[in-house]
Amino acid sequence: MLNVSTQELATPAPVDVEQAEAALVEHYPRLVRIAYLVLPPSLGRNRRVLTAHALVQRSLPRRRSTGVDAAMPGQRRAAGDAVDPGYAFVRGQVLRQAVDAGLPLKRGSLPKRAQLPPLLPHVWGLRLFPRSGGADELALDQRLSTLSGPGRAAYVLRGLERQGDAEVRRVLGAAGVEDPAAALAEADTVEMAHALLESPEFDPCSLQARPTDLMRRRQHTKAALAALAAAVVCGALLGLPGEGWGPDGAAAPAYARNPVAEAALDPGHVRRVAPAMWQRSARTDFSVWPARGGLVDDSALLRRALAVWARPGRTVQVSAAPGTPPGPPMGPPQLLFAGEVDQARVVLFHDGLRAVRYAEPKDGTAGAAIDFVRTDGADTASAAALVVGRTAANVRYLTAPWVRDVSVRDLLDPSSPARPLERDAHGVTHPVLSPLAPTQCRSWDVLEVRDGVTTRLLTDLGELTPARLTSGPPSAPVDVTDRAARAEWARTACLLPMARSRGVRSVNSWRFAEQELPGTGGAADGGTARWLCTRAETWRGTGSRALAQLQAPEPKEGVVTAGTVVAKADDAPGCGTREPHVLAGAMWKSPDGQWYMLAAGSPRVASIAVSGAVTDSADGRLLAVKVEDKPTGEVRLGGRLEDGTKIGVLR
């Protein structure tokens, strides 16, 4: 559904703490985004993130307020919510503090609270910053850094909150800005699309983490001397003969003993599959992977890995994909790999439900890590590879024994040939640039595996199991093998971060409709837009995500641009095997400046109707309505299937 609501002026109304708190909780991501954009970029992205959260969290009134002098934005809100005193009050407080944070410190006077580093929230040992955007987002951030705080606030109110100049002047005046007209004049100098303000580049609620300055942290040792001395004493005591910590590496002390648990943790009971078992087995999945690697006979390493799996200590970094239980094995697991990868010793296990990766540094067990991911119901396609090693920018895969050839293909360049990728004798690939590395989506390298009959594309989404990429209708998806499918994926690849770290098993992109754009003459491949639905399915079943996108013709030949996302749904059956139907719509502006309301449905859609700010209907599954100007009100889209069933847009 396309929601565009008109703005209304707020009437001063009393606001109590409960009303303001409800507005803060409901609109928290939007308020933090506003604070982040208005704060001075000179603070650095880590401090801007923490300060933005701090400003919003301390914007509640201390007592019942007498009134509100700001208006709530109407964009994408129902008409009844166009004026919310609670939201208006909190937003005004956020703007006031964010503008104050950008003021220079004055000698001889105490700084304002907003000018000081936030006490809470606070993160030790990590730097947090939003996900990297594209070149346009970077240019906008640099341009905003040249504005004053009031100028940035005016630009955000106008672009993100969709407010007119009169309303912007009123809100800025209520926030304590001395010259709102000058702030608007500054905002006029930024000639960039307001839609960039919605980018993940400016979303302080979707963050990446990196370590702080490690060399500086090493130098701060005075405060840790007492703790270090205590750790040395305790380590010496625990390392004494008996049931100490010594033989189990980073594992915590054992708290229970029974024959079944002891068998599951005994390296001698680990299951090992014969190298040729997969050739005669009725199944080809992780259960027939042989044990590979140069350390498969290192009992001490296997013992440490099993012990940490069962009892991870406080220093062990534990991660589990959504829906994956991180508990101990139910019995002796299957060994898939044990060997050295880059600067670590790595062990891969499989227990029938999960794939488990244990890693420790070559020079000790400090900094050990263990990762869990579900693999139940795996088949030949989904068991083709596992991530065996990962660095800041690169990833290595362990391929299945039935994989004959491996190569790398840039998904953003559908015409370029695949590049051969070498493997060692154990099936470990050479390093591959992870598409999740901070490259602003200038490339998206995927793994292309061939088993002699089928070619498949796999992509890293930040977990042990790479996700399989397919195309076609949900009832019969196929692997991406021809250039036409790769061309569609080239414009979809940069949307894949939406499925990152969600336990994704596969991502399918379905071109459900094509539509000749009005006013373009209908030239072949020049005036035809493609409607696609991209759906990510998870190993656990729940947690799916679907996006509907419009891929208009490329502005320049050979230049790949991402499609426009027009609808999104989480945990919804639409565009999936259960409900293989989809309906989507968008406003589109022709090259001659004319606006149109476009809509398209999947093959079984029999009619489409649009109401609200735009009213029209059409039989069939395509609709194009000419409008005088981009509507400023709510537009509602619906349709019916061939059997009369109603269908709505993804949501």
Side-chain angles (χ1 to χ4, degrees):
M1 180 176 290
L2 302 174
N3 293 323
V4 182
S5 304
T6 57
Q7 293 184 352
E8 301 175 18
L9 296 178
T11 301
V15 178
D16 55 25
V17 175
E18 291 78 11
Q19 187 177 4
E21 182 180 17
L24 187 150
V25 172
E26 180 182 0
H27 305 290
Y28 185 85
R30 189 178 189 88
L31 291 166
V32 177
R33 184 187 289 265
I34 292 173
Y36 182 86
L37 287 165
V38 178
L39 284 169
S42 59
L43 293 177
R45 291 197 294 174
N46 179 68
R47 181 171 169 184
R48 279 174 74 191
V49 166
L50 297 178
T51 303
H53 284 273
L55 296 185
V56 175
Q57 292 175 16
R58 61 180 184 233
S59 294
L60 292 178
R62 298 181 182 276
R63 55 185 175 81
R64 185 178 180 84
S65 176
T66 59
V68 178
D69 286 326
M72 175 182 173
Q75 183 72 0
R76 289 187 296 279
R77 303 189 189 283
D81 294 332
V83 179
D84 180 354
Y87 177 87
F89 177 88
V90 175
R91 186 188 60 189
Q93 295 298 309
V94 170
L95 287 172
R96 182 186 299 273
Q97 296 178 85
V99 171
D100 289 344
L103 297 176
L105 295 174
K106 296 182 180 180
R107 181 175 299 179
S109 61
L110 293 176
K112 296 184 178 181
R113 185 180 182 187
Q115 295 175 283
L116 300 174
L119 296 177
L120 292 174
H122 199 83
V123 179
W124 291 94
L126 288 176
R127 294 174 57 252
L128 303 177
F129 50 91
R131 301 187 183 281
S132 299
D136 292 339
E137 287 86 349
L138 179 61
L140 176 60
D141 194 41
Q142 293 174 344
R143 186 67 186 86
L144 291 178
S145 67
T146 64
L147 303 183
S148 65
R152 287 189 296 271
Y155 184 80
V156 170
L157 288 173
R158 179 188 285 170
L160 187 63
E161 298 291 78
R162 306 294 194 268
Q163 292 187 344
D165 288 357
E167 183 66 9
V168 171
R169 283 192 293 269
R170 192 182 67 77
V171 174
L172 290 179
V177 175
E178 295 180 358
D179 193 351
L184 276 171
E186 278 192 80
D188 289 336
T189 64
V190 182
E191 300 178 351
M192 302 188 73
H194 289 155
L196 294 174
L197 296 175
E198 300 278 358
S199 168
E201 172 82 11
F202 307 114
D203 184 6
C205 292
S206 179
L207 301 172
Q208 291 180 315
R210 293 292 184 273
T212 56
D213 190 332
L214 301 180
M215 295 300 298
R216 181 178 296 176
R217 285 165 54 183
R218 287 185 178 182
Q219 296 171 0
H220 297 171
T221 57
K222 290 185 178 180
L225 288 178
L228 179 61
V232 170
V233 173
C234 293
L237 294 175
L238 291 172
L240 293 175
E243 303 304 321
W245 202 355
D248 291 342
Y255 58 86
R257 293 191 178 278
N258 62 69
V260 176
E262 289 298 313
L265 303 181
D266 186 351
H269 287 80
V270 169
R271 293 186 294 110
R272 302 168 187 254
V273 176
M277 176 62 70
W278 66 271
Q279 297 176 351
R280 58 180 183 271
S281 173
R283 299 168 54 184
T284 49
D285 55 18
F286 293 113
S287 65
V288 295
W289 275 34
R292 290 172 288 177
L295 300 178
V296 292
D297 296 324
D298 189 337
S299 297
L301 172 63
L302 299 182
R303 182 181 299 279
R304 290 194 299 273
L306 292 169
V308 171
W309 181 356
R311 313 184 303 275
R314 294 182 179 179
T315 62
V316 177
Q317 302 176 38
V318 181
S319 69
T324 304
M330 295 176 289
Q334 174 188 350
L335 178 63
L336 304 182
F337 176 85
E340 292 186 352
V341 180
D342 295 323
Q343 299 302 313
R345 291 188 290 264
V346 177
V347 182
L348 286 175
F349 294 112
H350 184 252
D351 67 352
L353 173 66
R354 303 164 294 179
V356 181
R357 176 182 179 269
Y358 169 80
E360 65 181 25
K362 287 184 179 180
D363 56 356
T365 61
I370 189 163
D371 306 311
F372 300 86
V373 67
R374 285 182 64 163
T375 57
D376 48 318
D379 54 16
T380 305
S382 54
L386 285 174
V387 172
V388 69
R390 185 188 300 277
T391 60
N394 296 325
V395 62
R396 291 178 185 263
Y397 298 95
L398 176 66
T399 56
W402 54 82
V403 172
R404 296 185 179 181
D405 299 299
V406 183
S407 55
V408 177
R409 185 180 291 276
D410 184 359
L411 207 55
L412 298 186
D413 190 356
S415 60
S416 65
R419 310 186 303 271
L421 181 63
E422 295 184 6
R423 295 180 291 172
D424 63 16
H426 304 293
V428 177
T429 68
H430 282 201
V432 179
L433 179 65
S434 172
L436 300 178
T439 60
Q440 299 182 347
C441 203
R442 290 189 292 266
S443 65
W444 194 282
D445 285 347
V446 296
L447 196 68
E448 186 173 84
V449 298
R450 290 174 292 277
D451 58 12
V453 178
T454 306
T455 301
R456 298 183 175 91
L457 293 186
L458 307 175
T459 186
D460 176 32
L461 290 180
E463 295 170 327
L464 284 182
T465 51
R468 178 190 179 193
L469 302 182
T470 59
S471 62
S475 57
V478 296
D479 288 293
V480 182
T481 56
D482 56 68
R483 182 171 178 177
R486 290 199 299 269
E488 293 174 358
W489 264 109
R491 304 187 64 182
T492 306
C494 290
L495 303 177
L496 281 173
M498 62 89 180
R500 179 177 183 176
S501 301
R502 295 176 64 91
V504 171
R505 176 174 183 163
S506 63
V507 185
N508 183 61
S509 189
W510 172 32
R511 185 177 72 243
F512 62 87
E514 291 186 349
Q515 184 175 24
E516 290 191 0
L517 297 175
T520 62
D525 295 329
T528 302
R530 296 178 174 87
W531 294 87
L532 286 85
C533 185
T534 304
R535 183 179 176 91
E537 298 287 0
T538 66
W539 287 93
R540 64 191 184 278
T542 59
S544 63
R545 172 167 289 181
L547 302 177
Q549 57 170 310
L550 173 64
Q551 292 186 355
E554 297 283 11
K556 294 182 180 179
E557 185 177 355
V559 177
V560 177
T561 58
T564 302
V565 176
V566 299
K568 180 174 69 174
D570 291 339
D571 276 323
C575 190
T577 55
R578 181 179 173 186
E579 291 186 11
H581 319 298
V582 62
L583 176 65
M587 297 302 303
W588 177 77
K589 189 176 183 181
S590 67
D592 57 7
Q594 178 63 52
W595 283 98
Y596 292 88
M597 170 65 198
L598 303 180
S602 51
R604 291 188 58 189
V605 173
S607 63
I608 300 176
V610 60
S611 60
V614 179
T615 304
D616 205 340
S617 62
D619 293 332
R621 60 192 186 101
L622 298 176
L623 174 71
V625 182
K626 184 177 180 180
V627 295
E628 293 301 325
D629 199 358
K630 187 175 182 180
T632 58
E634 182 181 5
V635 178
R636 296 181 293 275
L637 183 64
R640 288 187 180 273
L641 301 177
E642 294 172 348
D643 60 3
T645 304
K646 291 183 179 181
I647 182 175
V649 296
L650 286 174
R651 58 182 179 182

